[in-house]
Amino acid sequence: MYTDADHRFMSRALELAAKAMVHATPNPRVGCVVVREGRIIGEGFTQRPGSNHAEIEALLDARRSGSDLHGAHVYVTLEPCAHFGRTPPCATALIEAHVSMVIAAVEDPNPQVGGRGLEVLRQAGIDVRCGLLKQDAIEMNAGFFSRMTRGRPWVRIKVAASLDGRTGLENGSSQWITSDAARADGHAWRARSCAVLSGIGTVRSDDPRLSVRLVETPRQPLKVLVDSRFEVTPQARLFDGHPVLVACTRGDPHKAEQLAARNVEVIEVAANAGGKVDLAALMRELARRGINEVHVEAGSRLNGSLVQAGLVDELLAYLAPCLIGPGQPMIDLPAVTSLTQIRRLTLREVARIGDDVRLLARVQ
């Protein structure tokens, strides 16, 4: 059904989609290639929210070079939209450009689209195909697909540890176990996320800023603090400069008012059986706010709570070539009595980052 050229053009569209990795949120990262007579005449990728989608950018690129779009083939990594959002429908723009073929990698999981974009194109007499490099396109937008199909963001826990799995000494000291290169790489993963989440324990012990500083970024992700009893001090560095969402079970109106002047929103989330913030409810609220991808940098207890709640999709672990001995664990989980009870992961990637090793593992 698909030729080698089709694969090559869709692969290029996926490369373009990656250029929207950081700035597209809450929209999906999409790339588009326009081809005529076997030659690429236009390329584009998703711009910032409210600006052009990938298809519009690719059509504009082709027109700027004076190319004739009539009869062109279009390769796009996600089904073109057929509804008015912040921008007009891309399907309409493709029809008006008189292209003859549209190949999409995957249908849009957004219920507002969900196959309607492809159907509109077919009704206009355009040859429409879907499914080329589908899994690659889904991986590009794992968070968007998660939010649309599961009603919660894609959740990644990031940890930096010694080879014996310790994130810090027994006395809590943890800066720095991994190398400068690993820390910069970790900031790149922060940058691509929609939100960086941590807990009150980490804020108390490390007073982190949780902003992206070691790599260039056009935007800062939302910072989310899980603080069930709203104990955070207004002087925490977390509140320096960028939007913060504090999730608690019972707020303090006076403190919340103090923090509001510093771009901090305090929300009350239902408590779980233990009186802590119901993490599943929090994830649903983040999804409602358009958060696709959550990057967790927290202590072992919150990490463990997220895992036990079934909310973690993958683990990003940086392992330094050192041994600590007794110290802080990566994830606090209850003891099991049999190997059949252990939580198995699928190793997706192993990479050398400076002197350290980066592992990316998917929860089964």
Side-chain angles (χ1 to χ4, degrees):
M1 181 178 180
Y2 298 114
T3 67
D4 288 344
D6 290 334
H7 279 84
R8 186 170 69 254
F9 294 135
M10 188 61 82
S11 293
R12 175 57 184 162
L14 284 163
E15 289 176 2
L16 291 166
K19 293 179 181 290
M21 184 67 71
V22 173
H23 66 250
T25 183
N27 295 329
R29 305 146 179 157
V30 182
C32 182
V33 168
V34 182
V35 175
R36 184 173 173 80
E37 297 176 351
R39 182 177 65 86
I40 293 176
I41 60 172
E43 296 186 332
F45 54 87
T46 310
Q47 301 301 297
R48 294 190 184 193
S51 298
N52 290 337
H53 289 189
E55 299 94 320
I56 306 303
E57 284 289 300
L59 293 174
L60 288 172
D61 187 41
R63 289 182 174 122
R64 277 192 292 266
S65 65
S67 298
D68 182 8
L69 287 165
H70 198 283
H73 294 181
V74 175
Y75 297 80
V76 60
T77 59
L78 189 70
E79 172 187 3
C81 62
H83 68 288
F84 278 88
R86 298 191 212 189
T87 57
C90 293
T92 301
L94 293 171
I95 292 168
E96 292 173 349
H98 301 290
V99 304
S100 64
M101 178 185 288
V102 174
I103 298 180
V106 63
E107 281 193 14
D108 192 329
N110 186 341
Q112 290 183 296
V113 186
R116 283 188 283 276
L118 300 179
E119 185 55 32
V120 166
L121 294 171
R122 289 192 181 101
Q123 289 175 0
I126 295 173
D127 182 3
V128 176
R129 305 175 191 180
C130 187
L132 176 60
L133 300 184
K134 175 179 178 178
Q135 198 55 44
D136 293 324
I138 292 173
E139 285 291 327
M140 179 68 64
N141 288 295
F144 181 74
F145 273 79
S146 177
R147 178 164 68 89
M148 290 297 166
T149 61
R150 302 189 298 180
R152 70 168 181 83
W154 183 265
V155 178
R156 176 189 311 108
I157 286 179
K158 178 259 181 180
V159 292
S162 60
L163 285 183
D164 53 349
R166 301 300 177 183
T167 62
L169 308 183
E170 276 191 306
N171 63 13
S173 178
S174 62
Q175 296 179 335
W176 301 100
I177 292 174
T178 52
S179 64
D180 291 345
R183 290 197 294 281
D185 190 72
H187 276 236
W189 285 85
R190 275 187 194 177
R192 63 169 281 174
S193 66
C194 307
V196 178
L197 181 145
S198 195
I200 184 61
T202 298
V203 169
R204 273 207 209 100
S205 60
D206 296 343
D207 196 19
R209 281 177 281 181
L210 295 181
S211 55
V212 179
R213 303 181 305 281
L214 302 183
V215 297
E216 288 188 13
T217 181
R219 62 160 189 100
Q220 288 286 340
L222 174 70
K223 292 184 277 192
V224 180
L225 174 63
V226 179
D227 182 8
S228 296
R229 293 182 290 198
F230 198 18
E231 299 170 307
V232 66
T233 170
Q235 287 72 47
R237 291 201 302 170
L238 181 77
F239 301 133
D240 291 346
H242 304 294
V244 182
L245 183 70
V246 178
C248 58
T249 58
R250 180 178 296 179
D252 174 337
H254 177 67
K255 188 192 287 188
E257 188 176 340
Q258 272 187 296
L259 292 173
R262 301 179 64 187
N263 210 5
V264 178
E265 181 184 359
V266 179
I267 60 169
E268 292 188 12
V269 180
N272 61 20
K276 303 287 188 181
V277 165
D278 183 322
L279 296 172
L282 173 59
M283 292 303 167
R284 290 192 295 271
E285 173 61 20
L286 293 178
R288 189 187 69 78
R289 291 166 177 256
I291 299 297
N292 294 327
E293 194 172 301
V294 173
H295 181 84
V296 179
E297 296 198 24
S300 61
R301 277 195 254 181
L302 180 52
N303 287 346
S305 295
L306 286 163
V307 170
Q308 290 185 76
L311 297 172
V312 178
D313 296 297
E314 63 186 4
L315 176 68
L316 178 69
Y318 295 87
L319 299 181
C322 65
L323 300 172
I324 288 179
Q328 306 294 320
M330 292 190 285
I331 301 174
D332 188 6
L333 293 171
V336 297
T337 57
S338 167
L339 288 176
T340 60
Q341 299 172 295
I342 65 176
R343 300 167 194 270
R344 295 197 177 273
L345 309 177
T346 300
L347 195 58
R348 302 275 298 181
E349 180 187 309
V350 180
R352 179 80 177 263
I353 308 293
D355 292 330
D356 308 311
V357 173
R358 185 186 70 200
L359 305 177
L360 186 65
R362 187 74 51 86
V363 175
Q364 293 183 3

